[in-house]
Amino acid sequence: MREVIAELKTNKLLRFQSLIFFLLSLSFIVTNGLRSCWWGECGLYVGQWHMHDAFWHISLVKSAFSSFPFSHPFFAGENVFGYNYFIDLILFALTKIGLEPFFAFFRFLPMVISFLYIFMAIKFSRLYFKTSTQINSIIFFLFFGSSLSYLATLYAGNTFFYSSMRGFPVVTSIQPGMMFLNLQFALSLALILATLILFKTSTKYLSVLWLTILMFSISGLKFYGGIVLSMILGGMILIRIFKKDHVSLRLVQIVAIVGGDLLARSLFYSRSGGDGFPFA
């Protein structure tokens, strides 16, 4: 915490990038879930990017978790299976401490995740890079990185239409600056950075427990997030084994990674008496 605050105090460009990212990322979600009036009619405003996902998640929070197995909110008599509902369990827990579902989904959790991502991004950058130039460069890509294809759209058609800033789905829509188009994706990014920080800094066996928890959480949020993180950590572990760096710990870490991922799959992506499809 102290090193992150110290870096923000001394690095003006980092402060500027962090502020822009905070405002930009939240702008895609916090305006939703509010009562608004359009063309003489008033009601609850939910924009097109959140029209499907928001109502699905809030329906789960409001109705699915009141019984076990969890009932499907849209199909009577069916249960929820083969779905990464970990973010919905978090939202459900927040409602149990008094937060209203729309407020928790559209404002509280996004603000918490945004602060967490900024903190993890700065900590990660300071850990893996040394100079201010390096830190600011990696922060730029962690906050605003994309294929930059919208520049080609702007050049060819003098518009952002059907680029990363307009239209969904498109190739560059899900990038860090627009991560709140998908709440699970946003939280998984912060936790992936936390995992890489943990892997770099800790050589104690107690860290294996945290590694298992983080791996379970990321796989429970996004199936492919767990796959990507497993590949990254697998490569890093192999390099350290070849260097004979805490070999026994690395072997235990492999067990933790596989165990956390399998636990998440068995809980979120399977069905009693059959196999669940991970992208259902």
Side-chain angles (χ1 to χ4, degrees), residues 27-273:
S27 70
F28 288 96
I29 192 169
V30 295
T31 57
N32 292 268
L34 298 172
R35 291 193 61 82
S36 303
C37 295
W38 294 82
W39 297 292
E41 296 185 0
C42 299
L44 195 67
Y45 170 76
V46 177
Q48 66 176 35
W49 283 332
H50 297 284
M51 187 67 72
H52 176 272
D53 284 1
F55 291 117
W56 165 253
H57 291 299
I58 291 172
S59 295
L60 280 174
V61 172
K62 295 283 285 185
S63 63
F65 301 134
S66 58
S67 62
F68 187 83
F70 302 141
S71 58
H72 199 295
F74 294 164
F75 296 100
E78 277 292 334
N79 298 324
V80 176
F81 67 93
Y83 175 69
N84 50 314
Y85 55 81
F86 185 52
I87 191 71
D88 305 293
L89 289 177
I90 296 173
L91 289 165
F92 179 71
L94 290 175
T95 63
K96 289 304 179 182
I97 62 173
L99 296 185
E100 193 270 334
F102 276 91
F103 174 77
F105 184 89
F106 287 121
R107 278 171 287 287
F108 179 79
L109 199 53
M111 291 188 69
V112 171
I113 294 173
S114 189
F115 277 119
L116 180 63
Y117 183 77
I118 291 171
F119 175 82
M120 291 300 173
I122 296 173
K123 192 173 180 66
F124 172 85
S125 301
R126 280 182 52 87
L127 185 62
Y128 283 86
F129 304 93
K130 301 303 178 184
T131 68
S132 294
T133 300
Q134 292 174 330
I135 290 172
N136 286 324
S137 297
I138 193 65
I139 283 293
F140 174 81
F141 286 102
L142 287 174
F143 286 173
F144 312 110
S146 75
S147 68
L148 304 181
S149 63
Y150 56 85
L151 296 179
T153 308
L154 179 63
Y155 175 78
N158 295 318
T159 179
F160 282 123
F161 192 74
Y162 291 126
S163 71
S164 64
M165 299 301 290
R166 188 81 177 266
F168 186 83
V170 290
V171 133
T172 53
S173 282
I174 303 299
Q175 55 179 283
M178 303 173 74
M179 62 185 185
F180 289 120
L181 295 181
N182 188 289
L183 205 57
Q184 305 102 297
F185 174 74
L187 183 54
S188 69
L189 286 184
L191 295 185
I192 286 173
L193 288 179
T195 306
L196 295 177
I197 292 167
L198 175 71
F199 189 85
K200 177 78 170 179
T201 57
S202 182
T203 57
K204 297 180 180 179
Y205 281 93
L206 182 61
S207 66
V208 173
L209 176 60
W210 285 110
L211 182 60
T212 306
I213 293 172
L214 286 167
M215 193 69 210
F216 169 82
S217 301
I218 292 164
S219 295
L221 289 166
K222 280 294 181 184
F223 176 81
Y224 55 78
I227 297 297
V228 170
L229 183 59
S230 297
M231 294 172 63
I232 294 172
L233 292 179
M236 296 172 72
I237 288 174
L238 286 176
I239 291 173
R240 282 159 175 76
I241 289 176
F242 287 139
K243 291 181 177 180
K244 298 182 178 180
D245 176 18
H246 298 86
V247 175
S248 60
L249 174 62
R250 304 310 172 191
L251 295 176
V252 176
Q253 287 175 335
I254 292 175
V255 174
I257 293 168
V258 174
D261 183 61
L262 290 178
L263 182 60
R265 290 196 196 190
S266 65
L267 180 61
F268 299 114
Y269 303 114
S270 65
R271 180 180 188 178
S272 178

